Amino acid sequence: MSNGQPFMDENEIQAIACCLTLFDRPVKVLEWGSGESTGYFSRLLGPGSAWLAVEHQYEWFRHVQASISGLNGCSVAVVHVPPSREYVEGGDDGDVATFSAYIQAPQRFHESYEFILVDGRARVACLAKGWEMLDPQGFMILHDAQRPEYARGIPCGGYILRITNSNKSLENRNIETLFIAKSRERITSLARKLSRVLTSSIDVEMSALQQPIQGSSAQNPRSRRCVFLNTYYPAFVDAFYRSNPSVAGFSYADQLTALYQTLFGDSDFYSHGLRAAGWDAADLILNCSSLQQAWARENSFHGSLEEIAVEQVRRAKPDAVYLQDMHSASRDFIAAIRPHTRLIVGQIASLASPRIPFDHYDMIFSSFPHYVELFRRYGMTAYYQPLAFDPRIIAVIPALPYGMRPVECSFVGGISPLHAGANELFDHLARHVPIRFWGYGAHSLPEDSPVREKHQGEAWGKEMLYLLAASRVTINRHVDAAEQYANNMRLFEATGSGALLITDYKYNLGDLFDIGEEVVAYRSPDECAALVSYYLAHPEEAARIARAGQARTLKEHSYQARMAQTAEILERHLSYREERYRFSTVDLSGMNTGHTVIEPAEITPAMTHAWQHGDIPVQQRALVQKQLEEMYAGSSAAPFRILAQALKAILSPGGSVLEVGCASGYYYEILEYLLNARFRYLGVDYSEPMIAMAYQYYPRTPFVVSDGAALPFTRDSFDCVITSSVLLHVPNYQEHIAEAVRVAREYVVAHRTPVCRQRTTHYLKKQAYGVETVELIFNEKQILAEFQTQGLLLVDVFEINSSPENDSYEMTYLFVRHKDEPTDRIQLLN
C-alpha cells in the first residue's frame, strides 16, 4: 500500500491519530470519502476493529482499494456507491437527492459507529446521518470545517472541539477541523490529551453545541414568519416592464419571480437568508403596481397600493414585519399593520427624513454606526448590521479569470447631489485613468464634464453585477449620510464578484476588510488615480487582493450570515414579549441581604456551592430582564456599560471571548448589542440550572458546565477571558485566576470585583436570592498582586460603584498577558 500521508494539515493528522488512541477496545470506523487517510489511520487500530470507507468516484475507489489490499490488523473495506443522478466534479459538494444512496449506504453494514470521518460529498447530509449512527462514546470528525456552507449541518445536542490551524486552505481561510461528540466527558478527555500533543500554532476551543429546549420557540423556528416590505426604484420598475411587456400579464408569483431574477437591489436576499435560518419569509414590493394589482385580482381585493399592502400583512399574520424602505411607510400605514403583527422592524442606510415615524418602530437595523448610537440616545432599540452579498450570484454570473476581464476600471453607481465631492473624484479619474462609468444621473453632469464621454448609461441588477464581475478594478465612494463609516452594498457586491475594490477610506473599513490585503482605500482623488494606475500595472498583486476580498466576503459577509443574526435577534425580542409577565411576581427582596463577617474556617461547602441551587436562575433572570428592557430603551445598567467599555478597545470583530461565571448567558446578548460587533462567545458556569437557562435564551450559543478552577480548555484558547462576578464567591480564587490566565491568549477581565482599600481581605456570609453563600471583599492591592504573580499587567480600571466612607468599591479590571518584561511593571493602585 502507499505510505503517503492523508491530504491534511500535519496537526490535523496528529489530532485524529490522538483521538483514535482514546479507544481501548475494537472500534467500528466510518469514512465518507476515501483516500490516503483510509490506509494511514486504519493502521493505528488493533485487531477486531473495522474500517468502512464509502467512495463515490469509481477511479479513486479502485486506487484506494488497491492501496489497502495488503493490510493486516483491522478489517478495511472500501465500497463504491455512485451518485444517484448526474453529478459534475469540481462544483459544490452535492445534495441529498444526488447522493442519497451514498449517504444511506453505511447503515447497511453497521447500525452504529464509534468513529466517523466526514470528508467526502454531501457533507451536510452526511453529518446529519452520521449523528444518528454515532455511538454515545464516539467521535465524529468534520474535515475542512472552515467552509461556511457546512455550518448548518453541525448537529444539535452534543459538544465540539474546534482545531484552527494558522495555515491557509485553498479558499484562503484558516483550516478548521471539528471533533463532535455526544459525551462531554469524552470531548473533555480529548481536549486535555490534544493540549499535550499539538503545537502552539493550533487554537483548540471546546464548546457545547446548541441544545434543543422543550417548548422553546427556538426548537421549531419555522413557526416564526416575517414579511419584508420593500420598494424598487421607479425608473427600474418602468424600464423592466417596458422591456418585458408580457410580464404584466403573469400571475403574482411569476411576476415576483421575474423581478427576483433581475437581481435588482437586494432582490430576495433577505428573505432567502432568513428562510435558511429556519423562518418562513416573504417579500412585498409595495410600489410595483402591476405586481400588487395581480395579487389583488387573485385574492378578490380592491383598494389602493397601500390598502393592498395592509391586506397582505393582515392575511399573512407575520410575527415580524420588516420595512426595508422606512421612507415609504407613513404613520397611518404602520398603525394599520400594527394589529396584524407582533414586531415592526425598520432598516435604514440613507439620509434620515424627519417624516419617518421612528417612534412607531419596535426596533431599527442600520449599517450606519452613528445612526445606531443616535437612535439609542433617543430611547429606541437599534442594531448595527452591515449590508452583505448573496453567494448565489456567483452561480448566475460566473466571473471571468482575473486577467481576462475586459473592463480595466469601472464605476457602477449613481451620480447625485447626495455624494458631495464625487464629481471632482470622477473628473480626475476620467482624465487620468482608463475608467468607464455606468449608472443613473449622468444627465446632471456639466456639458464639458470628462465623465460624459466615458459614461456608458444605466446599469441595474444583473447587468450591474455582470459589469463588476467583468472588472479588474472597480471604484466605490459613499453617500454623504454615511459620514466617516463604510457601509454601502458596493463594498460586498464588488468584492463578492471578484473585482479589486478601491474604496474611500472610512474609520470602520478595517473591521470589515483587511485594508491593503483584501481591499484598497484612498483618501483623495489623486491617491485614487495613483492606486488605479499602480494595480493595473501590477495585475498579479491586484488579483491576489481581489481573491482575498472575495474570500472574506463569502465567508463573513453573506446574507445568510446576516440573517442568521437577524433571526436570533427577532426570536429573542419576540420571546421577551411573550414572557413579559413571567417574572412580574418574582420577589427580589432577598437578592442580597444579611451580610455577616466570618472567618475562613467558617466557610462551608454548602456556601461555595450555593449558586448551583435550582431556585436562583429564575430570580436572577427576573432582575436581568428588567435591566435588559432598560438597555433596549436606551439606559444601560452601569455593569453592562463598563464591561462593554473595557472590551471595546481590545476585542476585534470575530474575536473569541470566554466568560467564566456566565449565569444565564445574558452578557452574550449585552456585549453584542453594546459593542455593535459579532464575536465568538463561549459561556462557562458551574451551575447546571444556570446553563440550562442559558441554552433556553440563547440556543445558538455555546455553553459549558465547568468549574472555573478546572477549565476544560487548552492554553491560549481565547483572545479574552472574563471572570464575571466569580472571584468574590470562591475561597480558592487563586486557582480561578491561574486558570483564566492559562486559557487567555492576551486579555483577562475581572468584572464586578468588590474591593476595599483601607482594610485587609475579609469574608462575609450573606443571603443571595434566599440561599446562604460566601462573599469575599478583597484588599485591592492584594488581589491585583495575585494577577501580577500570574504575569499580567493592569492596563485599565473601571469603577462601577463606590462608597469611600465605607471603604467599599465595586471594580472592573482589565489585564494583559505580559510575557517578555518583568511582572513588577504592573500598575498597582495607591
Side-chain angles (χ1 to χ4, degrees):
M1 63 161 289
S2 168
N3 290 321
Q5 287 193 340
F7 187 64
M8 296 176 176
D9 179 83
E10 181 62 34
N11 290 284
E12 184 179 15
I13 294 173
Q14 282 189 293
I16 293 175
C18 185
C19 186
L20 287 170
T21 64
L22 290 179
F23 295 94
D24 55 3
R25 55 187 170 85
V27 295
K28 295 185 292 294
V29 177
L30 164 63
E31 180 185 28
W32 270 296
S34 64
E36 297 290 350
S37 55
T38 308
Y40 185 91
F41 292 121
S42 62
R43 287 182 299 166
L44 304 178
L45 299 177
S49 296
W51 188 291
L52 170 68
V54 181
E55 178 56 44
H56 78 286
Q57 194 178 52
Y58 182 73
E59 291 79 9
W60 189 246
F61 153 72
R62 292 295 303 271
H63 168 77
V64 176
Q65 189 179 50
S67 72
I68 63 169
S69 58
L71 281 179
N72 296 318
C74 85
S75 169
V76 182
V78 185
V79 296
H80 175 232
V81 184
S84 304
R85 62 184 186 185
E86 184 177 354
Y87 174 71
V88 178
E89 295 291 342
D92 58 23
D93 269 353
D95 55 18
V96 174
T98 305
F99 285 96
S100 57
Y102 172 90
I103 296 162
Q104 299 296 330
Q107 207 160 24
R108 302 201 311 263
F109 296 85
H110 302 287
E111 292 185 358
S112 66
Y113 295 84
E114 287 86 359
F115 193 93
I116 299 175
L117 178 58
V118 181
D119 188 19
R121 294 296 179 261
R123 293 191 202 184
V124 169
C126 288
L127 284 166
K129 188 63 180 176
W131 189 245
E132 294 177 10
M133 298 187 292
L134 185 65
D135 183 270
Q137 297 298 309
F139 295 92
M140 183 162 65
I141 293 87
L142 172 61
H143 177 56
D144 281 338
Q146 74 279 356
R147 298 180 183 176
E149 61 267 29
Y150 297 156
R152 61 191 177 91
I154 298 173
C156 300
Y159 300 87
I160 64 174
L161 190 68
R162 183 185 303 273
I163 299 178
T164 304
N165 192 287
S166 58
N167 295 329
K168 297 287 186 180
S169 68
L170 293 176
E171 300 87 11
N172 200 34
R173 304 183 181 106
N174 288 329
I175 297 172
E176 294 185 352
T177 306
L178 293 189
F179 289 76
I180 311 171
K182 296 179 178 179
S183 164
R184 186 174 70 225
E185 291 74 17
R186 291 287 280 170
I187 206 77
T188 301
S189 297
L190 178 60
R192 289 171 177 163
K193 190 161 187 174
L194 291 183
S195 68
R196 299 190 296 269
V197 173
L198 301 185
T199 68
S200 58
S201 65
I202 296 297
D203 174 16
V204 182
E205 163 191 314
M206 191 187 83
S207 56
L209 292 171
Q210 60 184 36
Q211 308 290 324
I213 305 299
Q214 294 298 323
S216 167
S217 61
Q219 186 182 7
N220 184 22
R222 290 201 177 276
S223 62
R224 303 291 196 189
R225 179 172 175 80
C226 179
V227 172
F228 290 91
L229 308 187
N230 206 349
T231 59
Y232 281 1
Y233 289 168
F236 164 76
V237 175
D238 291 343
F240 173 76
Y241 280 96
R242 188 168 57 249
S243 301
N244 303 277
S246 63
V247 174
F250 290 2
S251 68
Y252 175 82
D254 289 343
Q255 285 193 51
L256 187 60
T257 299
L259 287 164
Y260 285 160
Q261 290 172 346
T262 68
L263 301 179
F264 176 79
D266 45 43
S267 185
D268 68 336
F269 303 155
Y270 280 78
S271 58
H272 182 268
L274 198 60
R275 283 193 292 273
W279 281 53
D280 292 327
D283 297 284
L284 303 180
I285 306 173
L286 304 186
N287 66 334
C288 186
S289 178
S290 176
L291 176 72
Q292 291 295 82
Q293 292 296 344
W295 184 91
R297 287 194 303 273
E298 293 169 15
N299 289 275
S300 303
F301 182 80
H302 301 280
S304 66
L305 290 182
E306 185 171 292
E307 289 169 334
I308 292 171
V310 172
E311 181 65 12
Q312 288 171 313
V313 172
R314 187 189 72 81
R315 296 193 187 192
K317 294 181 174 56
D319 296 282
V321 172
Y322 192 118
L323 288 102
Q324 293 173 287
D325 179 6
M326 295 176 69
H327 298 274
S328 67
S330 65
R331 292 178 183 273
D332 290 343
F333 176 76
I334 296 177
I337 65 173
R338 172 66 70 181
H340 311 304
T341 187
R342 298 154 63 201
L343 210 58
I344 296 181
V345 182
Q347 175 179 300
I348 187 167
S350 60
L351 187 63
S353 165
R355 295 192 298 273
I356 297 176
F358 290 104
D359 57 337
H360 280 43
Y361 289 84
D362 298 310
M363 72 175 66
I364 299 171
F365 286 90
S366 180
S367 58
F368 286 169
H370 53 300
Y371 274 21
V372 171
E373 297 305 323
L374 178 65
F375 295 145
R376 290 178 183 176
R377 285 200 297 270
Y378 281 95
M380 290 179 265
T381 302
Y383 283 90
Y384 168 66
Q385 188 175 79
L387 302 175
F389 178 76
D390 193 322
R392 292 178 298 164
I393 291 171
I394 296 175
V396 177
I397 306 172
L400 293 169
Y402 191 82
M404 297 175 60
R405 295 183 174 211
V407 180
E408 288 185 287
C409 180
S410 67
F411 170 79
V412 188
I415 297 173
S416 77
L418 298 175
H419 305 86
N423 287 356
E424 178 188 358
L425 171 68
F426 296 159
D427 284 359
H428 189 78
L429 293 176
R431 289 190 175 97
H432 293 92
V433 299
I435 187 172
R436 287 189 274 171
F437 299 87
W438 285 267
Y440 64 88
H443 66 277
S444 66
L445 295 170
E447 289 296 329
D448 61 348
S449 169
V451 176
R452 277 185 173 269
E453 63 182 79
K454 295 189 174 184
H455 203 283
Q456 313 295 302
E458 295 184 354
W460 305 102
K462 190 180 293 186
E463 183 183 358
M464 178 199 74
L465 294 165
Y466 270 120
L467 289 168
L468 293 173
S471 299
R472 300 180 194 179
V473 173
T474 193
I475 305 299
N476 182 47
R477 55 86 185 93
H478 283 82
V479 68
D480 297 351
E483 298 185 7
Q484 295 302 315
Y485 297 98
N487 88 300
N488 65 12
M489 291 178 67
R490 197 70 74 251
L491 290 169
F492 310 107
E493 292 167 335
T495 52
S497 298
L500 170 62
L501 175 67
I502 300 181
T503 186
D504 43 347
Y505 176 80
K506 299 292 182 181
Y507 292 157
N508 66 325
L509 181 61
D511 292 337
L512 302 170
F513 295 97
D514 188 346
I515 300 173
E517 295 294 326
E518 296 170 339
V519 299
V520 177
Y522 66 87
R523 293 168 175 81
S524 69
D526 284 341
E527 185 179 18
C528 185
L531 289 168
V532 172
S533 297
Y534 175 84
Y535 284 106
L536 290 179
H538 297 81
E540 292 183 0
E541 188 175 349
R544 176 183 60 78
I545 297 174
R547 286 194 299 270
Q550 184 179 48
R552 179 72 176 269
T553 289
L554 296 179
K555 180 181 180 181
E556 296 183 13
H557 302 313
S558 69
Y559 279 101
Q560 185 164 329
R562 299 283 192 260
M563 290 300 100
Q565 178 190 17
T566 297
E568 185 177 349
I569 291 168
L570 297 181
E571 288 163 8
R572 183 181 302 154
H573 284 272
L574 286 167
S575 296
Y576 289 170
R577 286 169 176 261
E578 292 163 359
E579 62 178 23
R580 180 161 284 169
Y581 303 105
R582 175 184 176 188
F583 301 110
S584 60
T585 60
V586 176
D587 181 10
L588 297 177
S589 59
M591 180 180 67
N592 190 23
T593 62
H595 295 75
T596 305
V597 177
I598 60 173
E599 294 297 323
E602 298 178 71
I603 300 172
T604 66
M607 291 180 186
T608 59
H609 291 86
W611 291 92
Q612 295 175 315
H613 198 286
D615 291 343
I616 291 181
V618 170
Q619 296 182 72
Q620 187 189 66
R621 192 71 197 195
L623 174 63
V624 168
Q625 288 301 116
K626 292 180 180 179
Q627 294 172 322
L628 290 175
E629 195 166 327
E630 292 169 357
M631 181 183 77
Y632 290 124
S635 178
S636 299
F640 297 177
R641 292 196 314 272
I642 284 173
L643 184 56
Q645 184 182 349
L647 296 180
K648 189 174 184 63
I650 66 167
L651 185 62
S652 302
S656 56
V657 174
L658 172 69
E659 183 189 8
V660 181
C662 67
S664 60
Y666 50 88
Y667 269 117
Y668 163 72
E669 173 181 355
I670 291 161
L671 292 175
E672 184 179 88
Y673 186 74
L674 295 181
L675 293 175
N676 292 329
R678 297 286 281 178
F679 52 88
R680 292 183 293 138
Y681 171 95
L682 192 151
V684 165
D685 203 286
Y686 79 152
S687 166
E688 291 193 9
M690 285 289 195
I691 293 298
M693 179 174 279
Y695 274 123
Q696 179 180 348
Y697 280 99
Y698 313 105
R700 293 179 172 87
T701 305
F703 296 97
V704 173
V705 178
S706 177
D707 186 347
L711 295 171
F713 313 113
T714 57
R715 184 177 179 84
D716 300 344
S717 291
F718 303 90
D719 296 327
C720 177
V721 175
I722 305 166
T723 63
S724 189
S725 299
V726 173
L727 301 180
L728 70 159
H729 297 303
V730 288
N732 62 334
Y733 61 88
Q734 295 97 333
E735 297 174 32
H736 282 254
I737 293 172
E739 277 292 88
V741 174
R742 181 182 66 81
V743 302
R745 187 175 299 116
E746 191 165 7
Y747 295 101
V748 174
V749 179
H751 184 47
R752 302 197 70 173
T753 306
V755 301
C756 56
R757 292 172 180 165
Q758 307 303 321
R759 295 170 290 166
T760 60
T761 297
H762 51 284
Y763 299 79
L764 306 173
K765 68 176 179 179
K766 69 170 189 177
Q767 294 289 315
Y769 301 102
V771 181
E772 188 175 70
T773 186
V774 63
E775 180 173 315
L776 283 73
I777 310 297
F778 298 101
N779 174 270
E780 189 170 43
K781 287 188 177 182
Q782 178 189 346
I783 190 65
L784 294 179
E786 290 292 341
F787 285 95
Q788 176 187 10
T789 61
Q790 295 295 329
L792 297 184
L793 285 173
L794 180 65
V795 294
D796 218 336
V797 177
F798 306 87
E799 187 176 276
I800 301 173
N801 291 306
S802 66
S803 177
E805 64 276 14
N806 296 317
D807 188 26
S808 176
Y809 306 87
E810 185 180 13
M811 309 296 293
T812 291
Y813 303 103
L814 171 62
F815 302 92
V816 64
R817 284 187 64 167
H818 194 71
K819 301 176 182 178
D820 301 322
E821 298 183 27
T823 56
D824 60 7
R825 289 275 308 276
I826 194 167
Q827 304 298 309
L828 296 178
L829 298 182
N830 294 320

